[in-house]
C-alpha cells in the first residue's frame, strides 16, 4: 500500500505526506524472499536521515563502515513521510521533512539478524529522522539535496533510542556520524 496526500496552500507551498506498508511472503519451496524482492529502509526516497538500505530489520544496526555486501532486508515494511515544500526564489525550492519507519522479518532468521515482527512492540522499533532540503526545479528536471539527521535510532538500548538531546551541529564528530546528505533527481514521493 502506497498512499499519498498533497495539500496545496495559496502561496504555492505544499504539504506532502506518504504512508507505505508492505508485506511479502515466500512461496513454493522457498523459506526466504529473494534478495531483490525484500523491503529496505533508508536512503534518498525513504528514511533520509539514514544511509541507503541501512535501517533494520527491526533493531539490527547495519554498520556502514563495513565494506562488504551488508544490506539486510525484511519481509514487512512500514514507513511514514511528511514534507512541507516551499518556494524560495523562482526555480529554487526548499523543504522541511520528517521520516519514520523500519523493516521487519516475518519469522526468525537463522542468521540471528533480527527477530520476527510483533505488533505489540513495532512502535518501539521505528527509526525517525528529520531534515531540510533544497531543490533546483527547472520544470522538466528536479535536482534535490536533502540534509537530515536521525532523531531516533532503534538499535540503541531501550531507553536511549531518542537522540534529539545529543544533537551538536558544532561538533565535527557528531556531524560525521549523524548528518546524511542525499542527492537525488525528482521528489522523494
Amino acid at each position: 500500500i502506497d498512499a499519498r496526500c498533497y495539500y496545496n496552500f495559496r502561496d504555492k507551498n505544499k504539504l506532502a505526506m506518504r504512508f507505505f506498508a508492505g508485506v511479502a511472503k515466500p512461496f513454493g519451496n522457498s523459506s526466504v524472499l529473494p534478495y531483490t524482492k525484500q523491503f529496505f529502509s533508508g536512503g534518498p526516497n525513504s528514511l533520509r536521515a539514514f544511509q541507503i538500505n541501512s535501517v533494520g530489520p527491526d533493531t539490527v544496526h547495519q554498520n556502514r563502515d563495513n565494506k562488504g555486501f551488508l544490506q539486510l532486508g525484511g519481509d514487512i515494511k512500514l514507513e511514514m513521510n511528511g514534507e512541507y515544500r516551499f518556494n524560495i526564489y523562482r526555480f529554487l525550492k526548499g523543504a522541511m521533512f520528517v521520516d519514520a519507519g523500519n523493516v521487519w522479518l516475518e519469522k526468525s532468521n537463522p542468521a540471528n539478524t533480527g527477530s520476527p515482527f510483533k505488533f505489540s512492540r513495532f512502535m518501539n522499533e521505528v527509526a525517525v529522522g528529520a531534515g531540510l532540503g533544497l531543490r533546483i526545479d527547472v520544470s522538466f528536471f528536479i535536482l534535490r539535496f536533502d540534509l537530515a539527521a536521525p532523531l531516533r535510532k532503534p538499535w540503541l538500548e531501550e531507553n536511549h533510542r531518542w537522540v534529539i538531546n545529543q544533537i551538536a551541529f558544532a561538533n565535527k564528530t557528531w556531524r560525521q556520524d549523524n548528518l546524511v546528505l542525499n542527492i537525488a533527481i525528482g521528489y522523494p514521493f
Side-chain angles (χ1 to χ4, degrees):
I1 298 170
D2 189 344
R4 299 163 189 225
C5 177
Y6 302 94
Y7 182 79
N8 295 313
F9 296 99
R10 291 181 202 194
D11 54 2
K12 294 188 179 179
N13 294 345
K14 182 182 288 190
L15 180 63
M17 295 173 286
R18 182 181 78 146
F19 172 77
F20 180 90
V23 177
K25 189 161 178 68
F27 64 94
N29 63 355
S30 298
S31 60
V32 295
L33 288 171
Y35 184 78
T36 57
K37 300 298 181 185
Q38 293 177 5
F39 293 113
F40 296 92
S41 236
N45 295 321
S46 179
L47 304 179
R48 292 168 273 186
F50 300 91
Q51 296 293 331
I52 192 164
N53 301 345
S54 67
V55 178
D58 68 24
T59 59
V60 172
H61 181 222
Q62 298 193 47
N63 186 355
R64 69 177 187 201
D65 297 331
N66 187 342
K67 302 290 187 230
F69 189 71
L70 179 65
Q71 288 95 24
L72 304 170
D75 308 319
I76 300 167
K77 180 175 180 177
L78 290 173
E79 198 168 283
M80 290 91 29
N81 312 85
E83 183 171 274
Y84 179 69
R85 300 172 182 166
F86 54 91
N87 292 319
I88 297 174
Y89 179 76
R90 292 165 83 187
F91 62 88
L92 199 59
K93 315 281 187 204
M96 296 183 297
F97 58 86
V98 175
D99 304 319
N102 203 337
V103 295
W104 292 268
L105 299 171
E106 189 263 328
K107 61 182 181 178
S108 291
N109 185 325
N112 200 18
T113 53
S115 55
F117 177 84
K118 288 202 189 270
F119 190 79
S120 61
R121 68 168 199 250
F122 88 94
M123 284 298 290
N124 214 15
E125 298 170 346
V126 169
V128 180
L132 299 171
L134 185 66
R135 288 81 195 276
I136 299 170
D137 184 351
V138 289
S139 73
F140 64 91
F141 183 81
I142 298 167
L143 182 60
R144 175 169 50 98
F145 301 90
D146 288 333
L147 184 64
L151 303 178
R152 188 172 195 282
K153 298 177 180 179
W155 57 84
L156 296 178
E157 288 182 38
E158 187 78 30
N159 293 324
H160 301 294
R161 292 181 177 169
W162 285 101
V163 293
I164 297 170
N165 59 345
Q166 298 172 10
I167 294 175
F169 289 108
N171 184 317
K172 181 180 178 183
T173 304
W174 182 88
R175 288 193 312 266
Q176 287 176 338
D177 293 342
N178 292 282
L179 286 182
V180 177
L181 176 64
N182 293 290
I183 302 171
I185 295 172
Y187 286 111
F189 54 92

